[in-house]
Amino acid sequence: MRHKEVVSDWLVVAVVASCLIRVTPEEGLVGLSFAEDRRMEPREKSIQLSTVISLPDNTSSFSLCCHFKLLFRKEDPAMLLSFDQIGYLTMANNDLYLVEGSSSSYMVSDYKTPVRQWVHVCASFFGGTRVFINGEQKRISNLIDSSDPLVNMKTGRLVVGMLFDFNPVLDMDIGAWITLPVFIPRKISEEEVGKHLKCNPEIEGNLVTDAWQEIVFMPKQKSIIYRNLSLTEATEGSAQGWKPYNSSYNLPAADQLPQPSGHVITVTPCAAPQPELFLLSRKSFSFHSAEKECLKLKGSLPSSDHPSFKQMTDDLLRREDEVSFWINERFENDTCRILIYTGTAFLHMIMACDTEIAQQLVCAIHPNTLFHALGNGMESFSQLYLDKCGVNSCFRTIYRDQIVLSNDGTAYKFISRNQQEVMESSVLTLDVPIGRFEIFNFELEIKVEVVVSVCSEEEFTCSDGSCLPLEQHCDGVGQCANYEDENCLQSVIISENYNPNRAPELLLPVELHVRIGKISDVDISNGHFKVRMELQTVWTDKRLQYLQLREELEKNQLTDDIWYPTYRMAPLVFNDEIDYYNGNRTISTFYASPTTAGSVITLQTRRKRLFDAQVVHREDVSFTFYCDFDLIVYPFGVYPCQYNISFQDKGTNDPFFNLSSTSLELPVQTLSLFVVQFCSLAAGTDNTTTPRNVTVTVLLESRFGGFVLSMFMPCLIITVIGITTLFFEFDNFQDRITVTLSCLIVEAGLYAQVIEVVPISAAPKFIDSLFFYSIIRLFLTCLDHVFTYRFLLRFNNSRAEANEVRSSKALQSVTNNKDMDKCPWHLEVKSNLITPATVRDNPPKATDNVPDAATYLSPKRPKPSFPAWVSCEADEETFKKRYRKFKICYYSSVVFGFTFDLVFLAGSGYLTHHSRASVYNNHPSLKLCS
């Protein structure tokens, strides 16, 4: 029996498990190979493998079951299994259909028939059509329903493959392995379906016998011939045994007899798929290079216990003098095993793994491994399977196109399904092309680049045929030998009718992200400041196709030949505005920001993944904006500096800002005079649902700590020192006036220095008011000292004059007193003072009440009995009252000055707080920057 399970040619193999021959699934089931070696030509011949079924009486329904493996197919409908033209299992493309009676047809929903994989199918016809795929009942769509009952019939023919009386215009090529079908004249139960699924062919009521025939209709010879198929042993298919179908037909000449298209084979549909051995080259390989070549085909070096090992070596020995190839065994000392077969014995040798010897390269590769061919004109060869063309290996498509090695081993021949050579290329390392190479296209008469590899759609193919995940393509790390996986210049496909002057759509929402990197050169005097910022604009342009994007945005750079929104900035200084509109001093880059990964497309010979993405436009710019600095409370104020960003074209259908996705980023910055930590980005003056301008507000808060320490605090200290002279002694005029004038001069000099750095403006500033107030305050203090000095000087002079008058009057009163002789003592006037004098006649006694000068000057002096003393006392009381009034007025003025100082400070604080608070109230959108 034949051991190989994958054969050449493009066909679908349906495997039939015979219930008559008892074999276990591990040993294999008897099956039929149909149209495997060559395609069917309906115009030249039509083939069918069939057996006759005898039905019991009153049969109202029947069921068909089998395992099949589809090898080759056409897009046209083709028959897989049928019973006497009243029940069909048919395929078109990958869809599976059921035809019942003369016109009822059904399609199996949500199912596509795979290629080169075992499929189990059970279908019941009439009386409730249903179908089971791989043990699961599938939903079927009723395309045409005639509801014809099963006619009373005695016998019918169960056919594998197409019927020979079908319309020969249709190219119904199909190739398959199929197990011997099960036919039971009733509906099959789910239990029986599960039993047959597990390769148990013994189902009660199975009517299939072992009498099978291959029948061939030959239109040109006008003959129908047949031959019997033996199910007891596999047949290699000779041209012997053909007979006329009946007496109406003649047997054609021997040279016109066809090669058999049906064979009996052993199949194992329930066993795990096993790799097969393929001869891939007759060149010299080391163990490492041989292992690498096998890996390119998703295979490995063979093991010595492979079930096809003996057959492979025998096939090779028929054509080679000696058979030797590496075995998949490697030892610790970097030695490997090589097998040598002489036809009588197997010799195993241990050699260094890096030794290159002339040998055959044999690899164990799964027969269902799918290969791909990429390149211009390779549509027919886009999907390939590794197959055997005799001993050699070759590629075939499911439509029977093939790539084979030429007889002299110098070229690859690309042969179409019509057996026409369409392309040719030079031989690479292996007998089948793997990797990137050039072919000559006979139809186009040009050389084109082609890639053949086992890489899937999710993989990138290197030049040597090895595969990389698409995620590693354009990741910045070269994995291919020639680093071609980092050839990533093209990130976007722009259509030919792309218009870079037109927005992708009407009312396009645009995301604007403003990042202010640095604020510098704040010029309060001229009212402007410099900003370095990054404008990031994000929008969707569905006219572009984005390829092989990475997570890192900077790796997805795009060309600048695309549409992008342009802005107008205001208020800019004139030179910056001109430079920005001319593109000067602006770094502009475009990127693609991936959102979701899409399908994979092929550009020439390279696969690229498509992405849904947004276009990101970054502009690094530096602008000088105008700002209205309110200097009333300088340097305690806050200054909201605003600038507008708007689209240059403000049509009603043009882009607008999507405020929900618009952001402003400004790191907290500390400048020499200001702190920037509050900012906002809000809709501009239009304030609609589709705003076309936004306003950026940056709040500059004055850093007044340095001003307080360097200007305000010295000013206040000097002012306080000058004011404290009010508490000096009244008669210390020289110290009072000297200290105050010194403070006044120092403060005036300090203000003269400060005014050099204070911004020039017509508006009065708090710093001006403070210095002006302090200078006026010290000046008033000086005037106070002068007025005090003048008052005390006049007061003392008045008092001295009064004392002199009093002394004169007192002396006159004493000398003119008629009772002078009665006085025990007399007075003498000296220097305007009354002092004791010498008693003329009788000195006063101790008991006499004689006052002295000190007594007269004392507040408690006794009242003299004559009028002069009465006048002296009255004058003293007058001077005391005047002095008390002076002190009251003086200290009242001091208290009034302090009160006014407090009012001035409180008013200044209120003005500062109100000015700052009004800024925040007028800009409620301000928030702490990030």
Side-chain angles (χ1 to χ4, degrees), residues 218-236:
M218 305 178 69
K220 291 183 179 181
Q221 288 77 16
K222 298 181 180 180
S223 177
I224 299 178
I225 59 176
Y226 79 96
R227 70 184 185 94
N228 294 322
L229 295 177
S230 173
L231 302 183
T232 57
E233 59 178 338
T235 60
E236 293 298 330

Side-chain angles (χ1 to χ4, degrees), residues 292-307:
K292 182 179 179 181
E293 295 298 333
C294 290
L295 286 175
K296 290 180 183 178
L297 284 77
K298 286 192 176 179
S300 62
L301 292 175
S303 60
S304 57
D305 59 349
H306 193 280

Side-chain angles (χ1 to χ4, degrees), residues 620-645:
D620 292 327
V621 294
S622 181
F623 293 136
T624 300
F625 290 100
Y626 286 111
C627 181
D628 184 16
F629 289 96
D630 183 5
L631 301 178
I632 294 178
V633 293
Y634 175 88
F636 296 96
V638 290
Y639 311 105
C641 298
Q642 296 180 324
Y643 58 91
N644 295 322
I645 303 176

